Amino acid sequence: MTVVERTPRRSIRAWASAHRETVWRAGTIALTVVLYAIAAPLEATLYGVPVLIALILTAARCAALVLALRSPLAATIVFALSSIVVRVVPPPTDAPWPWTVTATIEFVALVLLVWARHGWRAGLVAYVVPGIGISALAQLWITGPTIASYVVALSVGAVAAGVGALLRDRMRLGEALTEERRVSQSEQERRVVVEERQRIARELHDVVAHGLSLIQIQASSAPYRVPDAGPEAAAEFADIARAARGSLAEMRRLLGTLRGDGEAAERAPQPEVTDIPGLVAEARRAGADVALSMPDTASAPAAVGIAAYRIVQEAISNAVRHAPGASIHVVVDQLGGVLALDVTNDKPDTVPPATRPGHGLIGMRERAALLGGSLEASPTPDGGYRVSARLPIPEREAHHA
């Protein structure tokens, strides 16, 4: 099992989606700095605006873009007033006026930002108020450059409004899809947990049924094996046998509820810890390079043995699937009252193709948790992957295991 590296493009897209507000702020601030560095000198040199006034009013117009992130109406008013004040007097040249090139770019950025962030109502205000206020100056001096700047600014602003509307719809759709994907993933994980618990219950049915059967047989035969027990003891044994038979019947009904429609009952005996060497041998026959370290004395109660076998089975399967050709090391050890399982694979020679993550880890963690144990899965420093499980063995059962 190994972690599939994501491409840089996917990583950047995922980061931007998770930090959308940061991206908006960073992009707006960067655009503001660039526009200010260009617009302030241009206002002072080309249009003859006093340097101090050019610096202050250009800073106000650029700051309106940052302000638009939170307060679109205030940003619109600041932009319109600072633009109108600096353009009351026409420039001494035939440069575009009152809509300068930098003012047009700032206007387009404002409309696009407000429309995309706050919707069509705020966007319409950001388009109309500066458009009418600044363009009204064009009526005082009707010349060719004046009319041209008027038409160009409002036309490009209208295009920016359309782009902002599309961008807003795209963001809303992306947010809806992200939320739907999150809900779907959560529901799928919940369903996997339920299915895994049903599977565990079906596997443990045989273990519990075997114990109840022994109780029923021993209780039924006790009066014959102990003839001197007396009638009271015989009646007690009969009650025990009856209760065991009733419990077995209830378990069969419960198992029928857990088993899906048309699902056949499992006939093979449930696996144990001692079946892990056979599992490893089967993986070797399939072509996997699997090494096993397991003491001959390793043993565990039936429930722990089933969980250990299934965890090792799933871990080997994931390693073969996600790290083809890599060596796999399986270590099983019994440390006092804990059964320790470690399945580690080396770094694969080639990076496998990207696949959608499965739910194997969910099932393994569920098995460990139901026994009061723990399971950790993480990459190794050398590029491989390691699954480590610790399954506690009850003290009394550990003594008999």
Side-chain angles (χ1 to χ4, degrees):
M1 184 178 358
T2 187
V3 176
V4 179
E5 297 182 358
R6 293 184 296 179
T7 61
R9 180 177 299 178
R10 287 184 179 179
S11 300
I12 294 175
R13 185 181 302 173
W15 183 90
S17 178
H19 302 81
R20 184 168 297 170
E21 189 66 23
T22 302
V23 173
W24 274 107
R25 288 181 177 275
T28 303
I29 292 174
L31 177 62
T32 298
V33 172
V34 172
L35 287 178
Y36 183 76
I38 297 175
L42 189 62
E43 295 280 353
T45 57
L46 184 60
Y47 292 94
V49 180
V51 175
L52 181 59
I53 296 178
L55 292 175
I56 294 175
L57 294 180
T58 303
R61 293 202 314 272
C62 293
L65 297 178
V66 180
L67 182 61
L69 293 173
R70 291 297 183 131
S71 180
L73 181 59
T76 300
I77 295 174
V78 170
F79 180 85
L81 291 178
S82 59
S83 300
I84 292 173
V85 169
V86 78
R87 285 166 179 76
V88 173
V89 179
T93 64
D94 292 334
W97 183 90
W99 284 101
T100 64
V101 174
T102 53
T104 301
I105 296 175
E106 294 163 357
F107 174 65
V108 168
L110 178 68
V111 173
L112 176 62
L113 180 62
V114 173
W115 209 297
R117 288 274 297 185
H118 304 285
W120 69 271
R121 291 183 178 86
L124 188 61
V125 173
Y127 177 79
V128 171
V129 172
I132 294 178
I134 300 175
S135 299
L137 299 176
Q139 306 304 319
L140 302 178
W141 297 273
I142 301 178
T143 61
T146 299
I147 299 300
S149 68
Y150 173 81
V151 173
V152 169
L154 294 186
S155 300
V156 178
V159 173
V163 174
L166 293 176
L167 183 59
R168 180 173 177 81
D169 290 341
R170 174 66 180 83
M171 290 190 300
R172 293 174 63 181
L173 179 60
E175 291 175 357
L177 289 176
T178 301
E179 179 63 18
E180 180 65 24
R181 191 178 297 114
R182 185 191 65 81
V183 173
S184 177
Q185 182 178 1
S186 177
E187 179 64 22
Q188 188 174 13
E189 290 180 356
R190 187 192 67 82
R191 180 176 56 82
V192 169
V193 170
V194 172
E195 291 178 352
E196 188 65 24
R197 288 182 178 180
Q198 290 178 349
R199 182 183 177 189
I200 295 172
R202 291 196 298 267
E203 292 176 347
L204 294 181
H205 167 268
D206 292 344
V207 178
V208 179
H210 177 69
L212 288 175
S213 298
L214 289 179
I215 294 173
Q216 191 267 333
I217 293 173
Q218 289 176 344
S220 299
S221 61
Y224 304 98
R225 292 183 289 104
V226 188
D228 298 332
E232 293 83 3
E236 188 71 21
F237 284 128
D239 290 339
I240 295 175
R242 189 181 306 109
R245 286 193 297 269
S247 298
L248 281 172
E250 290 296 333
M251 288 198 62
R252 293 192 193 98
R253 281 192 289 270
L254 176 61
L255 183 62
T257 302
L258 294 176
R259 184 177 294 119
D261 295 338
E263 186 177 353
E266 297 180 3
R267 301 299 182 183
Q270 296 299 338
E272 301 177 355
V273 174
T274 54
D275 294 320
I276 291 179
L279 173 65
V280 172
E282 183 179 351
R284 290 171 181 166
R285 287 193 296 269
D289 182 10
V290 186
L292 173 64
S293 175
M294 175 178 172
D296 296 334
T297 57
S299 61
V304 179
I306 295 174
Y309 182 92
R310 295 303 184 193
I311 289 174
V312 173
Q313 183 183 41
E314 183 66 28
I316 293 177
S317 176
N318 286 347
V320 172
R321 185 183 308 113
H322 297 291
S327 299
I328 305 171
H329 310 276
V330 179
V331 178
V332 180
D333 198 3
Q334 192 166 352
L335 307 174
V338 176
L339 185 64
L341 309 172
D342 290 284
V343 181
T344 308
N345 66 263
D346 298 337
K347 181 179 180 180
D349 297 334
T350 59
V351 178
T355 57
R356 297 187 62 181
H359 301 279
L361 287 177
I362 297 177
M364 288 190 285
R365 286 196 175 98
E366 188 66 20
R367 287 184 178 274
L370 288 178
L371 293 173
S374 63
L375 186 139
E376 296 179 357
S378 60
T380 59
D382 60 356
Y385 207 84
R386 179 172 182 247
V387 175
S388 178
R390 298 295 181 265
L391 306 179
I393 301 175
E395 182 178 355
R396 183 177 301 176
E397 296 186 4
H399 177 73
H400 294 284

